[in-house]
Amino acid sequence: MDAVDLLLHPVRMRIVHAMSGGRTLTTSQLCDLLPDVSKATVYRHVGLLADGGLLEVAGEHRTRGAVERRYRLHRARAAVDAETAASVSVEDHRRVFAVAMATLLAEYNAYLDRNGADPVADLVGYRQHAIWLSEEERAAMIEELREVIAPRMRHDPSPERTRHLLSPILFPAEEAPARTPGER
């Protein structure tokens, strides 16, 4: 199974999210982070991700007679590059978006199910805004968002940091206006 197929599952995407930030976690620790997913399901998907090279063994130790592995995310394998994204069909894009939305919904429900979940205090945001952009304005906005988001993606986990999910979604809600000949 290639990396794209491996990522096209909500549980595997949640595991990838949980492993972000250079974390090394055992499957048992992942089960604690995904309490709404059965342990057997987490173990199965960790195995698939490890077999596919998206997770690598960072260490092993014996716990109660069993070998417990600590896994680390292989970041380069867990990302879909622009060339791959450009090569997939519209139906594949539909599948990818559906998995992203299913993953987001599962993560949000898991958050709400936690004791003490407080969307107001936690500044949870899920707004949608209709904005009008030319191609140049859209490109500039995407670059500005990258400049704001990318440095924060490199933050390492620490006691004062909480892992958050940020899911920017941008697509045209209407057909683009007709262009005149020679217009870019």
Side-chain angles (χ1 to χ4, degrees), residues 34-51:
L34 306 172
D36 56 311
V37 180
S38 75
K39 289 183 181 195
T41 298
V42 173
Y43 274 83
R44 183 174 66 251
H45 288 292
V46 165
L48 288 169
L49 289 167
D51 290 346

Side-chain angles (χ1 to χ4, degrees), residues 10 93-103:
H93 280 283
R94 192 180 319 272
R95 280 182 46 225
V96 170
F97 189 79
V99 168
M101 293 302 96
T103 303

Side-chain angles (χ1 to χ4, degrees), residues 17-91:
H17 290 163
M19 299 296 297
S20 68
R23 287 171 130 180
T24 58
L25 299 171
T26 65
T27 307
S28 180
Q29 290 170 317
L30 283 166
C31 288
D32 292 342
L33 292 171
L34 306 172
D36 56 311
V37 180
S38 75
K39 289 183 181 195
T41 298
V42 173
Y43 274 83
R44 183 174 66 251
H45 288 292
V46 165
L48 288 169
L49 289 167
D51 290 346
L54 274 71
L55 294 182
E56 55 193 15
V57 177
E60 297 179 343
H61 67 277
R62 283 218 173 269
T63 304
R64 289 178 243 125
V67 175
E68 188 171 51
R69 291 184 176 98
R70 297 183 65 76
Y71 293 95
R72 160 180 47 240
L73 181 64
H74 191 288
R75 265 186 85 77
R77 296 250 323 133
V80 177
D81 62 25
E83 183 179 328
T84 302
S87 72
V88 300
S89 69
V90 169
E91 282 308 310

Side-chain angles (χ1 to χ4, degrees), residues 145-163:
L145 288 170
R146 284 183 180 142
E147 288 173 9
V148 169
I149 296 168
R152 289 161 177 85
M153 289 175 61
R154 291 188 288 273
H155 288 180
D156 292 325
S158 68
E160 64 275 356
R161 289 190 175 130
T162 302
R163 184 173 58 94

